[in-house]
Amino acid sequence: MTDAPHEKASIASLAMTRRMHRRRAAETRFRLYGRASVIFSMAALGWLLLSIAATGLSAFTQHWVDLDLDVRAESATDNDRRRLADALAGGFGVQADDAVRQELLALVSASAATDALARNAERSGATLRLTVPVSDQADQYYKGRVDASRPAAQRRLTDRQIAWLDRWADEEQVERRFNRGLFVNPDSRDPERAGLASAILGSVMIVLIAGALALPVGIGAAIYLDGFAPQTGWGGRLTRALEVNINNLAAVPAIVFGLLGLAVFINVFGLARSIPLVGGLVLALRMFPTIVIASRAALRAVPDSLTDSALSLGASRMQAVFNHKVPIAAPAMLTGSIIGMAQALGETAPLLMIGMVAFVTAVPESPLDPATALPVQIFLWSGSAEAAWAERASAAIIVLLAVLMVINGVAIVLRERLQRRRSL
Amino acid sequence: MVEDKPIKFSGRCVSVHYGASRALHNVDIDIPDRNVTALIGPSGCGKSSLLRVFNRMNDVISNARVTGEVRMDGIDIYAPDVDPVLLRARVGMVFQKPAPFPRSVYENVAYGPRLHGLARTKARLDMLVERSLRRAGLWDEVKDRLSMPAPGLSVGQQQRLVLARSLAIDPDVILMDEPASSLDPIATARLEALIEELKTRYCIIIVTHSMAQAARISDHTAFLHKGELIEFDQTERLFTNPADIRTQDYITGRFG
Ligand SMILES: Nc1ncnc2c1ncn2[C@@H]1O[C@H](COP(=O)(O)OP(=O)(O)O)[C@@H](O)[C@H]1O
Ligand SMILES: [Mg+2]
């Protein structure tokens, strides 16, 4: 203590006060680091979501055009494309030559329109009213993604095409609709007709198959390892070796599981490539260690005093474990399992290995039909440079994220329910 | 020892090993029925290990091995044809830290009877639950909230609840492993009064680290030291006139 006259009586020495200042400063710095890292990660996540939403949200709507086609008898050839082009030319009142036809056909989803024409083949000669999606380039134009002020050589629509599209818009023939096709159509070569049906169904089947296999086996294995496996002697050594290997399995890169699936399920058992059954089997292997580890941790967290009490009351080991350990561990086991399923849903590499990267234009009806999966579809679509494909890839990402959020939400609700029931 | 009461347990050459290490060595002991027997000794001397011999809870510990002969009412409880699950239905146990199941008070007490099919009807089960809670001196405190979660009770109440839980399976014997170690003095006094009451019906074996408690509540006391049974006698005699110098050192507080 100093005896300087101006110094107030203090509860601590000067040295201690000074040290306290340093401790405070350290704490303040740590708080700042913490806040900075939280802000940084939130910003990164926000930027990611924003950029995906900015490109992808527009894919949930699509422009359709009402066409009153005068399909005249004299232009009726076997060639639907040509009939369509002629009718479009008639609508705009232009003379149809090959170049004009080409440009006209690029305005609408030609394949959708010719399909519709073919369906109405017997009505040729009359005026035909068709409502079809516009082509991907026209759609991008209507969504404001084509800069008409740029020189024509730098855009995919000619001045003439833009004039035609404007005319449709002026005559209110164009309507922006919810893009149902994104959910009900399988993949297609034309972006405006491409949908996620095959991918969504494929993913659902894969995850259901993987879950149906990995959940009971994984949870059962965890319960066995926790409560029943031998702990001493050679049996105990085996148990520990098993546990170490399950932990190692969880660290094996996913693509290796794909190779395993290829070698075992496709080459040895002769299952087909590209089918959800094989995908589900492979991802079941992938999920298994995650589920075992999560369930083991959940079971270990239950105090032994509960099972000991039950045993001392004359419960068998089975009763002690299933009456007192499993119910308490259930919420955490469930959460771990659902996280495993969510991981499986986002898994891409092993599916590429077993050929689920194929171009599938049919909606799968069973796990034995070729299908893709959502992450693989994203991979496929994001490989194309056109704006329409980029838009759809982002839309597929949004769908995948939404599904994951729903799954996690369900996990949280289930966990809360179980926990509330446990605490009566 | 001159005994008027029948012998409940008789152990001969009982040893307990954990892996390679020996926790209890060649213990010979005769525990009388309807009596309180206290096991005392410094911590780590094997009191809990000996207690767990009587309901074969050592079997649950993966590396534990029990040798020697233990008879309950003359029957070898380590014989191959004896199912430890059935033995434990007759030998109840109260642990050091009360571990009520995270269920209602009622469900806690009803668990044992349900396991063993002791009550055919709901009315009979209600009666069993009430009787057990009364015997454990808890009925008046919980009779209006039988459906409340048991972990919400105070620790003293929890300890009596787990006692009621083990009484509900109608055992002959109650083993208690330092049951008062987490209780406050008032709850401890209640528990001791309860033990005094229960010994008219049950054979009670209690591990305690409190010599005062052993002196207060037990009729017989066993002193263990380093895994050996040093002395076993009537409590009064053991505390006033110990035969072994180690017992004397321990009860006069010279070690442990
Ligand atoms: N599960 C176990 N595994 C290994 N050693 C144990 C185990 N339980 C007790 N022991 C050892 O056995 C000895 C006696 O323990 P215990 O019977 O619990 O003593 P006390 O109850 O008298 O304190 C101690 O040395 C203890 O470390
Ligand atoms: Mg002990």
Side-chain angles (χ1 to χ4, degrees):
Chain A
M1 282 271 121
T2 68
D3 48 7
H6 61 273
E7 191 146 347
K8 281 189 295 180
S10 164
I11 53 162
S13 71
L14 205 60
M16 268 180 88
T17 312
R18 231 182 258 137
R19 204 156 48 229
M20 197 61 221
H21 275 305
R22 277 207 301 278
R23 279 154 64 181
R24 285 254 169 68
E27 190 174 319
T28 311
R29 274 199 308 278
F30 183 75
R31 264 179 227 271
L32 277 178
Y33 298 151
R35 276 193 205 135
S37 62
V38 168
I39 288 170
F40 176 75
S41 46
M42 292 310 285
L45 185 69
W47 181 74
L48 178 77
L49 288 179
L50 266 180
S51 69
I52 290 171
T55 26
L57 278 181
S58 57
F60 290 96
T61 56
Q62 192 176 20
H63 288 86
W64 290 59
V65 61
D66 292 324
L67 298 176
D68 284 316
L69 294 183
D70 190 7
V71 194
R72 273 166 300 196
E74 64 261 34
S75 75
T77 67
D78 288 345
N79 188 337
D80 281 329
R81 285 176 67 83
R82 180 148 180 169
R83 284 171 65 211
L84 176 65
D86 287 346
L88 285 171
F92 287 123
V94 291
Q95 202 60 43
D97 59 40
D98 276 353
V100 168
R101 282 197 192 99
Q102 207 63 44
E103 287 181 33
L104 282 168
L105 282 173
L107 292 185
V108 295
S109 175
S111 57
T114 48
D115 284 357
L117 264 187
R119 271 202 302 280
N120 294 293
E122 77 282 2
R123 290 182 56 197
S124 67
T127 304
L128 194 59
R129 173 160 265 256
L130 288 182
T131 305
V132 290
V134 299
S135 71
D136 61 314
Q137 297 152 47
D139 192 44
Q140 294 298 314
Y141 175 72
Y142 284 131
K143 285 171 180 168
R145 289 229 177 85
V146 176
D147 186 0
S149 65
R150 282 167 68 184
Q154 286 180 26
R155 47 183 148 84
R156 292 177 60 212
L157 291 170
T158 63
D159 291 334
R160 204 158 46 176
Q161 283 177 312
I162 287 177
W164 288 331
L165 289 176
D166 286 343
R167 199 164 135 195
W168 274 346
D170 290 343
E171 285 166 13
E172 293 183 352
Q173 275 172 272
V174 181
E175 192 192 358
R176 186 168 192 163
R177 294 188 184 173
F178 174 67
N179 188 358
R180 209 173 133 264
L182 189 64
F183 298 96
V184 299
N185 290 348
D187 201 4
S188 162
R189 297 213 183 277
D190 306 319
E192 71 274 8
R193 299 187 85 189
L196 290 167
S198 161
I200 291 175
L201 272 176
S203 271
V204 166
M205 287 193 274
I206 288 172
V207 168
L208 286 183
I209 291 170
L213 289 170
L215 280 185
V217 178
I219 290 179
I223 292 174
Y224 174 78
L225 284 174
D226 188 75
F228 300 90
Q231 300 295 330
T232 51
W234 282 103
R237 247 170 259 191
L238 201 67
T239 306
R240 275 189 297 282
L242 211 67
E243 291 203 38
V244 169
N245 278 311
I246 288 173
N247 285 324
N248 288 341
L249 209 59
V252 169
I255 197 157
V256 178
F257 286 92
L259 268 176
L260 179 79
L262 184 65
V264 175
F265 300 124
I266 293 177
N267 292 346
V268 176
F269 290 112
L271 291 170
R273 289 169 156 265
S274 314
I275 60 173
L277 177 64
V278 176
L281 291 170
V282 167
L283 290 188
L285 291 174
R286 173 86 180 118
M287 278 163 67
F288 174 75
T290 313
I291 292 173
V292 175
I293 291 169
S295 306
R296 272 290 266 150
L299 289 165
R300 239 195 305 253
V302 181
D304 281 338
S305 59
L306 292 180
T307 35
D308 283 351
S309 294
L311 288 170
S312 80
L313 289 168
S316 66
R317 183 153 275 282
M318 178 103 178
Q319 286 168 322
V321 169
F322 279 88
N323 294 346
H324 299 291
K325 216 163 196 178
V326 174
I328 294 175
M333 288 201 287
L334 191 85
T335 311
S337 306
I338 290 182
I339 288 173
M341 295 189 46
Q343 275 176 356
L345 189 64
E347 204 65 87
T348 321
L351 299 183
L352 302 186
M353 296 302 299
I354 57 158
M356 291 204 75
V357 68
F359 178 61
V360 179
T361 53
V363 177
E365 280 166 5
S366 81
L368 295 172
D369 293 337
T372 50
L374 272 171
V376 178
Q377 194 69 65
I378 293 168
F379 170 79
L380 284 170
W381 284 352
S382 58
S384 310
E386 285 99 326
W389 286 120
E391 182 191 42
R392 272 169 174 72
S394 290
I397 292 174
I398 292 172
V399 170
L400 181 59
L401 288 181
V403 173
L404 286 173
M405 266 177 224
V406 168
I407 290 181
N408 283 336
V410 167
I412 290 169
V413 169
L414 278 177
R415 190 179 53 203
E416 299 286 310
R417 278 251 181 96
L418 277 173
Q419 246 152 12
R420 208 165 322 129
R421 208 179 60 202
R422 181 161 70 79
S423 57
L424 299 159
Chain B
M1 281 178 290
V2 188
E3 288 304 336
D4 47 343
K5 306 237 170 164
I7 299 297
K8 188 71 185 175
F9 283 107
S10 67
R12 292 289 172 272
C13 262
V14 179
S15 297
V16 176
H17 292 258
Y18 297 105
S21 78
R22 188 181 64 191
L24 207 62
H25 182 54
N26 285 350
V27 168
D28 293 329
I29 195 167
D30 286 314
I31 292 179
D33 201 0
R34 285 162 211 258
N35 222 314
V36 178
T37 303
L39 308 180
I40 63 170
S43 77
C45 69
K47 306 182 292 291
S48 300
S49 303
L50 177 58
L51 196 69
R52 286 196 297 262
V53 161
F54 299 119
N55 66 344
R56 292 188 59 173
M57 276 299 276
N58 282 322
D59 295 18
V60 172
I61 300 167
S62 57
N63 62 344
R65 194 160 43 84
V66 178
T67 56
E69 189 189 72
V70 186
R71 288 180 180 277
M72 181 169 98
D73 299 326
I75 297 164
D76 182 2
I77 59 172
Y78 281 84
D81 60 332
V82 171
D83 189 335
V85 167
L86 296 179
L87 171 71
R88 290 182 204 129
R90 291 185 55 197
V91 184
M93 188 167 200
V94 172
F95 296 85
Q96 186 164 357
K97 237 179 114 238
F101 300 134
R103 304 179 179 189
S104 70
V105 170
Y106 183 94
E107 287 299 318
N108 263 274
V109 183
Y111 182 69
R114 288 219 176 102
L115 272 182
H116 301 291
L118 297 185
R120 266 176 219 296
T121 62
K122 174 87 171 81
R124 173 116 179 87
L125 189 61
D126 288 349
M127 195 219 80
L128 245 176
V129 168
E130 178 178 343
R131 193 185 72 189
S132 310
L133 284 168
R134 275 190 195 284
R135 283 194 186 163
L138 193 61
W139 176 251
D140 291 330
E141 287 159 65
V142 300
K143 64 175 180 235
D144 300 322
R145 19 178 211 160
L146 288 176
S147 58
M148 83 170 272
L153 297 172
S154 76
V155 183
Q157 290 172 325
Q158 286 183 15
Q159 195 60 292
R160 278 176 284 144
L161 176 68
V162 299
L163 179 61
R165 185 170 70 184
S166 50
L167 294 179
I169 52 172
D170 225 358
D172 309 347
V173 184
I174 302 165
L175 309 176
M176 299 188 183
D177 196 347
E178 305 197 20
S181 65
S182 49
L183 303 188
D184 61 57
I186 294 173
T188 305
R190 292 201 62 147
L191 187 74
E192 289 181 4
L194 206 55
I195 291 171
E196 197 65 33
E197 251 174 72
L198 291 172
K199 76 173 187 185
T200 56
R201 279 176 210 276
Y202 304 96
C203 164
I204 296 174
I205 309 177
I206 179 169
V207 170
T208 173
H209 60 254
S210 154
M211 279 172 288
Q213 187 173 59
R216 276 198 300 274
I217 60 173
S218 71
D219 306 295
H220 290 81
T221 298
F223 172 64
L224 288 104
H225 183 54
K226 292 186 177 165
E228 285 182 57
L229 179 64
I230 306 298
E231 198 167 345
F232 180 48
D233 210 335
Q234 289 179 1
T235 300
E236 230 182 82
R237 213 178 311 158
L238 187 128
F239 276 97
T240 51
N241 191 16
D244 195 288
I245 180 75
R246 285 168 293 185
T247 316
Q248 181 154 19
D249 284 351
Y250 183 70
I251 61 179
T252 53
R254 226 161 286 164
F255 69 85

